[in-house]
Structure formats: C-alpha cells, structure tokens
Amino acid sequence: MTDLSVELTITSILSRGARGGVIMAGVDTKGRRYVARCSWTLIPDASFPGKGQRWALRGSVSTYQQEQQIDATHAELLRPSGNNMITWIAGCPDIPGVGQVKAQKLYDCFGPDLVSLIEQKDIDALSAVVSPEAADLLCHAFKKYQVAQTLLWLDQMDMQRRIGQKIVDCYADKAREKIEANPYALISFEVRWKTVDALAQHRFSVTEDDPRRLEAAVEETLYRGLKDGHTCLPEKDVKRRLKTLLGDTDLAEQALVTGGSSQYRKVGDLYQPTGTYLIELEIAQRLTCMTAGEVAQQASIFATGEVDHGAMEAAIHYYERTQGFALSSEQRQAVLCSVSACLSLILGGAGTGKTTVLKALYEALEAVQPGVAIYQLALAGRAAQRMQEATGRESCTIAAFFARVSEVPLGSDAVVIVDEVSMVDAIIFYRLLRHIPPGTRLILVGDPSQLPPIGPGLVLHALAGHPAVAQTELKVVKRQSDASGILPVAAAVRGHTLPEYAAYQGRGSGVSFIDCPENALDEAVAGLYAELGGSGADYHVQILSTTRSNPGGVKHLNQRLHERYRRDDTPVYCADSQFGVVPARTLEYVPLKVGDLIIFTKNDYTLGLRNGSLGRIIEALPVEGAESDCCKVDFEGIEYTLKTTQLESLSHAYAITVHKSQGSQFQRVIVPIRRSRLLDQALIYTAITRAVDQVVLIGNREAAAASILAPASAARRYVSLPGLLKESHHMEQRHILDI
C-alpha cells in the first residue's frame, strides 16, 4: 500500500452508510478512476456526496480486482472553480435545463469571473447566456453547495447538525472564515466550553494565554451566570468562575486585564454582558418614563387628583352590590391606586384576593374611561386560562400577545395587566415593553415570594418597594380558611421561619410532614396518594414535585401511578411514519391509555389548549393514518379530539412540577421533598399555597428546613435593574427640578 493525495470528480456513489460513511467512485484530472472508501468520521452525513462534486482525498491506495481503492484518512469537499465549474454545472441536479453545452458557454463567456458573478447573484449578467430562471437556479444551487461544504467541515469537527445549521444561518458563506479566525465564536451557538477549548487548542493551535481564549472565557463565565438567573456578576465571583474554567489563577487574573470586550462591560464591581445591560437599562428608563406619564394626555388624566373619583367610587359600589360582598380596605386601595397610576403593582400572597381586585378594577377603569381596551396577560398558558376563567374576560399568554400586536398594533390609552409577574424574566419583560406604545397603562400583578423566573433577571422583585412606583400589597388570605391550617404554615414559610406542622392523621386538613428516606420516596408517595383519596381519575389529590427526575420526581411517579391505575386499560394508538399504527407513548416512553391523567405541554391556539392544561383521556379512536383522530380528551369539562402530532404535547399528570402548578388550585397536595439544588423556599411556598384543604410534605425534613431558612433563590441573583431604576429615577427628579 502507498499513500496518495488526489482530487477526484465524483462519477457515481456506490454506497451510502445508514449512519454516515460513503463509498464513491471518481476520476482525477488525468482521467484515472479511483474508488474512495470514506468512514463516518470523515463524512458523517452520507447524503452530502453527489455526482459531479470535486473532493480532495488522502489515504492509502491499493489494488482490488484491477481497481484502485483509497482508504481515505482525509476528505474535503472542494468548491467548484476554473474549468471544473463546467462539470459541476452540467451535472448538478438542482439546475435542470443547463447541460454540458450551456455550462461550456457560461465559462467561455465569463471565464474565472463566473464564480464571482454567481456568488453576487448577478442574474442580469448570467442571463446573457442562459434564461433568467436558469440563472436564478444556478445561484441558489451554488449557495446550497457552499452550505453543504461548510456543514461537512463542521460535521468533521463533531459539531451537532442543529448547531452547524445555526452557524451557517448566521455567517452564511463566511462561516469557515469566521471560525478559523476565532474558534471561540462557536460558544455563541451553545457549544460547550470544553469542546470549543479543546478544538481551538488542538486544531487551530490557540495557546492557553491567547487573548481570544481569555476574552472568550470571561464571556463564557457571564453567559453561565445568565443560565443561573444572574444578569451580572461581581468581580470576585467572576474570578472564581474563571479559575475553574481556565484551570489557572494567573490566567484568570490576566483575562480581566486584557482590555475588555464589546461583548461585556464593567460597572463598578460588576461585570455584565452588554446585551443584558442594555436590556435592563431600557427597562429602567421606560418604567421611569411611565411613572411620570409618557405622554401629556396620560399625565394629566391619570395623575393623582385628576381622576373622576366619583365615577370610580360608584363603579366599586356597583361591583360590591352585584357580587354581594364588600371589598376590604386594602383591596379598595389597590383598585384606587391602579386606576390612578400609569404604572402600578398589585402584590400579595397566594389567595389574598388579587383576582377580586382585578374584577373591581376593570369596572372602575371602564367607568373612568368608557370603552377602554383591557388586555390580560400571563406568562404560562394555564395561568392565562385561570385568569380568563376567574375574571370572565379574554386572557392570553405574553407570547400570544406579541403575535397579536405585531399584526394589529396596540391602540393608544390601552391597559395591559400582567399576572404572575414574579416568573417574568428581564428579557421577556423587555420585549413586552417594546410591544406597548407610549400612553399604555401597565398593571403588574404577582407575589415576590413565589417562583422566580426561569430566565435571567428579576422584574417584580426589583419594582416591589420602589418609591416611585404606585403599589399596594394584599396581606389578608381569602382562599384558605383559618381552619384549614394552611394559612399559618404558608405565612411562616413565606417569612423564612420554620412552621409548626400538624400531625399526619390521614385524610384531613392542614399541613403535615412525613419523614421518608429518599430510596423509599416513590413507593411512599404512591401509597399516600391512595390514602388521601387519589384514584388516578381526577385532580382532587395532586402530587407536586420539585424535580422532574430522581426519586420523588415527575418521571418516576407518573410511570409508577400509570402502572398502578391504567395497566389493563385500552391503549391509545397513533401513526408512525416508519412503523405504521403503533401504541402511543409520551416523550418519556410511557404508554397513553384511556383514563390517563395528562397535561398539555404546549400552547395550541388552533385547539384552544394552553401549556399546563390538565385533562383526562376518555376514549381511544381507530387510527388508519397520520391524519386520523387518535383519542378524545376531557380538558376541564371541554372535550377535544387529538391527532398524532398533538399527542406529542401530552405528558402524564398524576404528578406535575410545582412550576406547572402555578395559577392552579387542588383540594389536597402531596409534595415529595429531597435534597436538590432546585429545592428552594419559594418552591415550597408555592406548592403549599396550591392546596385548599390539605398539604402533606414527605421526604427529607432537614432539606426542607434548610431551604425555608435560606434566602430565596431570587435574593441570591445578581441583577443590575434595581440600581438602574434608582439612577434613572434620580435623573428624572433632577430633570423635573431643572424645569
């Protein structure tokens, strides 16, 4: 055997591996034929190679049955150029009607400039030889070829195809050039630091102290902070994280004195990605403007003392009379405050009557401004659904609101009310402000003690207590009666003090704690579920898990309870493109059967179902193909018929996460407790306040106590919005004084 480097024009594909790898035949510039065997590591996507392409191959060559075979160790798809353009154009299946003769005419006419004309999509010039339609096809085919060339290069570096496609979408034909110039650009596309760092050092010869590496390490540190909910990090924290990332204290110090980057900034002791700084700055400036009245008309109508208080009081009295009860003094104050202000907060724990305030508030708003447009929003689909049910007015998710106002812009003097704002992160809130015009009144409703956002930043927490923002806090709990015993426990947890749990005596009321080792947690929770009256047929008893995996998590418990209650029930079938009609399963591979309790995990506005909608499968339907109806599901009293594609949005719901329960109520709640980085005072408080009659926490008592006493995860987040709000408010005050 001898080593050979050769450029081949492919004449045929002899074999394509199911998981990559290709055997292809081609000829070199002298017409000599070779067969090249390329492994899956060289060509991970076997669909790439095609007739007419040019490949640079290197490997050992041998003779087999009078045929020259190359066992390739290197394979690179070459860009068509020179006379090879003729072969590529004539053989490309994406350019029908342009054969050898027209391809030759194109090259004869333009010579080496042909490639540039195609890259520039100069249809007018190319149309001198071929039709405009053929010229357009030629340009698109060449771009597709370039994309394939780049994707293959990324595949050979073990980039996942979804990431490779993102890179090509972003950089187009400059992708390879950009990455070769700075391989750490890959981090922006969700590639792990270890992968990029190893690639940069081993393939691109980047040294440990290369400024590109050090700058990227700081950016990676800050982006990791974003994943933990921080929008900025103090210098000491950045240094600690950099040391872990770079493995060297000196390099960590050096990274912070390399001159900085346009991708991040330092403000005082804080390092912050430029993007989140600008987001929080704009939020602060916009909210400050709203508190002052963004437009003259708004400032005059809604400034304190300008509102028609007579009309407002009459509306409140009318509401009280029709409802048959009187608002409490704090509820009344909340209504008056929000009607009078351009920006206001309605704060309060679970069950304190925030919905009652909203209904009275809408009566007052319409009395002050007849015909006012009122928009109710919530982050989660289920919370939006509950808001609509509770107020009797249309409500939608924030995402649906974005889509709606993008098509039909919001009119002036509208009112936007956002519920469960504790879960709204800075990025979503920034987008919300961008979608509402000046003159819009914004009312934010929520409880800072409940779950914080999954994404970075804090909004409600930053505004609560801010002196310039009109706000009212509701403190009297209305949902649970004092007799239930839930109220004092919830209040203690909310205040970070250890509660006094009631002794567990079976089905009853109040909040109890049962000690249970982690390895017995799943079995104990399943037994407790039955003991409290859970039958697997309804949601009177609900398990709220703090985690998805591990003992006490959603996956384990749903599988166990499905087996207990639905083992012998009728299966639901669906259509599979490969195997035909098969039994339907969730993404966790648990079968779906008639009687199963399920949760819808997406917002489907065609069906009218929201992410978090709880239901029960009531009938399996005969399935013949992909368009067949698969089953009927009862979602809170309304019957829906689902097809195969919609079954993908179903998960079992004997147990759901606490996050999915936000905005819901259940008669009895079981909360498995185990040590986890996710376990948090806000999580326990939210879970407890989902119940009306009884809560049973079961598991690790010490872990629960430690989480309750510790500062809430929201308090441990580093964010710059509070400081920016304070600074923006002071600037506004100085501006008023100057006037």
Side-chain angles (χ1 to χ4, degrees):
M1 288 189 181
T2 57
D3 286 337
L4 176 72
S5 293
V6 65
E7 292 184 6
L8 297 183
T9 299
I10 304 306
T11 55
S12 62
I13 304 298
L14 305 179
S15 176
R16 299 182 193 270
R19 297 185 178 180
V22 172
I23 301 174
M24 51 190 179
V27 295
D28 66 7
T29 54
K30 296 182 179 179
R32 292 175 295 202
R33 187 175 187 273
Y34 294 88
V35 172
R37 301 168 61 90
C38 303
S39 69
W40 69 270
T41 56
L42 289 178
I43 305 180
D45 186 345
S47 66
F48 267 163
K51 184 179 177 182
Q53 296 174 352
R54 288 178 62 242
W55 286 76
L57 300 161
R58 184 169 62 248
S60 57
V61 63
S62 59
T63 303
Y64 178 73
Q65 294 183 351
Q66 299 183 331
E67 195 167 57
Q68 296 287 90
Q69 291 194 353
I70 304 170
D71 284 320
T73 57
H74 170 82
E76 181 181 357
L77 179 62
L78 298 175
R79 170 178 167 170
S81 61
N83 279 301
N84 290 299
M85 280 293 291
I86 301 171
T87 305
W88 177 76
I89 293 172
C92 182
D94 294 323
I95 320 172
V98 181
Q100 185 73 28
V101 174
K102 288 186 179 178
Q104 183 69 56
K105 286 183 177 179
L106 280 166
Y107 193 76
D108 289 345
C109 181
F110 302 111
D113 292 336
L114 178 59
V115 173
S116 297
L117 292 173
I118 295 172
E119 284 183 324
Q120 295 165 10
K121 295 184 179 180
D122 193 338
I123 304 298
D124 291 339
L126 296 170
S127 297
V129 180
V130 296
S131 69
E133 292 77 16
D136 188 55
L137 289 173
L138 174 58
C139 294
H140 280 90
F142 193 76
K143 183 176 181 180
K144 180 179 176 182
Y145 191 92
Q146 289 176 305
V147 168
Q149 190 179 30
T150 303
L151 285 174
L152 175 64
W153 181 70
L154 291 167
D155 280 345
Q156 291 172 339
M157 294 193 297
D158 292 329
M159 288 297 111
Q160 296 179 32
R161 175 53 58 85
R162 67 177 183 84
I163 292 176
Q165 192 62 58
K166 285 182 181 180
I167 295 167
V168 170
D169 289 344
C170 179
Y171 294 134
D173 59 334
K174 302 292 184 183
R176 185 164 181 170
E177 177 186 332
K178 291 280 188 182
I179 292 167
E180 286 178 336
N182 185 2
Y184 291 96
L186 290 168
I187 290 172
S188 301
F189 300 95
E190 301 177 57
V191 186
R192 295 174 64 245
W193 168 265
K194 286 186 177 180
T195 302
V196 176
D197 199 34
L199 185 70
Q201 293 188 60
H202 300 147
R203 181 161 182 151
F204 297 102
S205 303
V206 175
T207 60
E208 286 191 341
D209 61 351
D210 189 300
R212 293 173 297 177
R213 180 173 187 256
L214 299 182
E215 181 178 310
V218 178
E219 293 172 20
E220 171 70 3
T221 294
L222 296 176
Y223 287 133
R224 288 188 181 186
L226 289 178
K227 292 178 181 178
D228 294 333
H230 309 297
T231 60
C232 56
L233 289 172
E235 186 170 354
K236 64 177 182 179
D237 212 50
V238 174
K239 287 182 179 179
R240 177 180 57 79
R241 292 174 179 237
L242 277 173
K243 181 182 176 182
T244 302
L245 205 63
L246 297 171
D248 185 283
T249 302
D250 291 339
L251 286 175
E253 294 283 351
Q254 189 177 337
L256 295 178
V257 295
T258 55
S261 164
S262 61
Q263 299 302 309
Y264 65 88
R265 58 189 295 130
K266 185 182 181 185
V267 181
D269 184 47
L270 296 174
Y271 282 84
Q272 183 166 21
T274 301
T276 56
Y277 170 78
L278 294 174
I279 284 172
E280 290 189 298
L281 178 63
E282 182 156 335
I283 290 173
Q285 292 176 341
R286 177 72 190 278
L287 293 181
T288 300
C289 289
M290 292 183 78
T291 60
E294 292 180 291
V295 296
Q297 181 185 12
Q298 185 184 42
S300 64
I301 292 178
F302 296 100
T304 302
E306 296 290 340
V307 177
D308 185 344
H309 287 282
M312 196 160 50
E313 288 288 351
I316 293 174
H317 287 309
Y318 175 78
Y319 174 78
E320 291 175 325
R321 189 169 62 255
T322 56
Q323 297 299 313
F325 64 86
L327 297 179
S328 67
S329 59
E330 63 182 19
Q331 287 176 323
R332 178 179 290 270
Q333 177 57 34
V335 174
L336 296 174
C337 175
S338 293
V339 173
S340 303
C342 308
L343 169 67
S344 62
L345 306 184
I346 300 174
L347 307 174
T352 54
K354 295 189 292 293
T355 300
T356 298
V357 169
L358 288 182
K359 290 193 286 188
L361 171 63
Y362 299 154
E363 296 280 353
L365 283 169
E366 289 173 335
V368 172
Q369 187 182 350
V372 62
I374 295 174
Y375 296 86
Q376 294 191 125
L377 317 179
L379 180 65
R382 185 164 178 78
Q385 185 175 354
R386 286 299 185 199
M387 194 179 189
Q388 181 167 318
E389 292 168 354
T391 64
R393 293 171 178 263
E394 183 183 0
S395 179
C396 67
T397 63
I398 295 175
F401 177 75
F402 291 163
R404 178 184 300 179
V405 299
S406 293
E407 294 180 3
V408 182
L410 206 63
S412 60
D413 297 330
V415 181
V416 173
I417 300 95
V418 188
D419 198 11
E420 305 284 9
V421 182
S422 69
M423 295 186 70
V424 176
D425 64 42
I427 296 172
I428 293 173
F429 193 72
Y430 165 80
R431 293 185 61 203
L432 175 65
L433 293 179
R434 300 276 291 184
H435 279 80
I436 60 177
T440 305
R441 279 163 288 152
L442 186 60
I443 300 169
L444 306 177
V445 185
D447 179 6
S449 294
Q450 291 204 35
L451 295 174
I454 294 174
L458 297 168
V459 176
L460 188 68
H461 305 73
L463 293 174
H466 191 285
V469 180
Q471 52 194 276
T472 308
E473 183 176 3
L474 307 176
K475 298 177 181 178
V476 179
V477 177
K478 301 290 184 181
R479 180 182 300 165
Q480 302 97 345
S481 67
D482 288 342
S484 75
I486 293 175
L487 171 58
V489 173
V493 172
R494 193 171 191 260
H496 295 280
T497 58
L498 294 180
E500 291 187 16
Y501 299 111
Y504 176 69
Q505 297 179 335
R507 186 181 171 93
S509 62
V511 183
S512 307
F513 203 115
I514 300 175
D515 294 288
C516 179
E518 187 171 316
N519 59 6
L521 195 54
D522 288 342
E523 184 177 354
V525 170
L528 183 61
Y529 178 80
E531 192 173 317
L532 292 180
S535 62
D538 57 43
Y539 292 95
H540 287 99
V541 180
Q542 184 61 47
I543 301 168
L544 301 182
S545 294
T546 57
T547 61
R548 289 194 55 79
S549 304
N550 299 310
V554 167
K555 291 181 181 180
H556 288 198
L557 290 170
N558 275 327
Q559 185 164 3
R560 180 181 288 266
L561 293 173
H562 165 83
E563 284 294 313
R564 171 175 291 189
Y565 294 107
R566 302 277 90 82
R567 176 193 292 272
D568 300 321
D569 286 323
T570 305
V572 173
Y573 286 86
C574 66
D576 183 274
S577 58
Q578 185 174 357
F579 300 106
V581 176
V582 296
R585 295 175 179 268
T586 66
L587 294 177
E588 289 81 24
Y589 300 103
V590 181
L592 289 168
K593 295 189 177 182
V594 173
D596 263 328
L597 298 181
I598 48 87
I599 184 170
F600 205 75
T601 59
K602 293 181 181 177
N603 290 318
D604 189 320
Y605 296 103
T606 302
L607 280 174
L609 286 172
R610 313 287 181 87
N611 184 356
S613 295
L614 297 172
R616 180 173 177 267
I617 300 175
I618 56 176
E619 184 181 352
L621 301 174
V623 176
E624 297 180 357
E627 294 304 312
S628 298
D629 294 330
C630 298
C631 65
K632 292 182 179 179
V633 182
D634 182 318
F635 283 103
E636 300 173 5
I638 302 175
E639 187 178 296
Y640 295 82
T641 303
L642 305 183
K643 299 183 184 296
T644 292
T645 54
Q646 293 157 340
L647 294 186
E648 297 172 358
S649 301
L650 296 184
S651 290
H652 289 93
Y654 303 97
I656 61 175
T657 62
V658 180
H659 280 87
K660 289 291 187 185
S661 75
Q662 191 99 341
S664 299
Q665 294 181 48
F666 309 97
Q667 292 300 118
R668 305 179 196 282
V669 163
I670 301 169
V671 188
I673 301 288
R674 54 176 288 274
R675 289 197 183 277
S676 163
R677 65 180 183 83
L678 298 176
L679 190 63
D680 169 70
Q681 170 261 359
L683 205 66
I684 296 174
Y685 171 72
T686 301
I688 290 173
T689 55
R690 298 308 92 200
V692 176
D693 291 332
Q694 184 177 14
V695 181
V696 180
L697 299 108
I698 178 170
N700 191 321
R701 190 184 296 259
E702 289 74 23
S707 297
I708 291 169
L709 294 174
S713 60
R716 299 194 296 270
R717 289 192 181 192
Y718 295 110
V719 296
S720 64
L721 182 57
L724 291 170
L725 280 167
K726 186 177 181 180
E727 180 182 326
S728 185
H729 175 60
H730 287 162
M731 289 180 64
E732 178 68 24
Q733 292 297 106
R734 287 197 296 270
H735 174 69
I736 293 172
L737 290 174
D738 289 342
I739 294 174

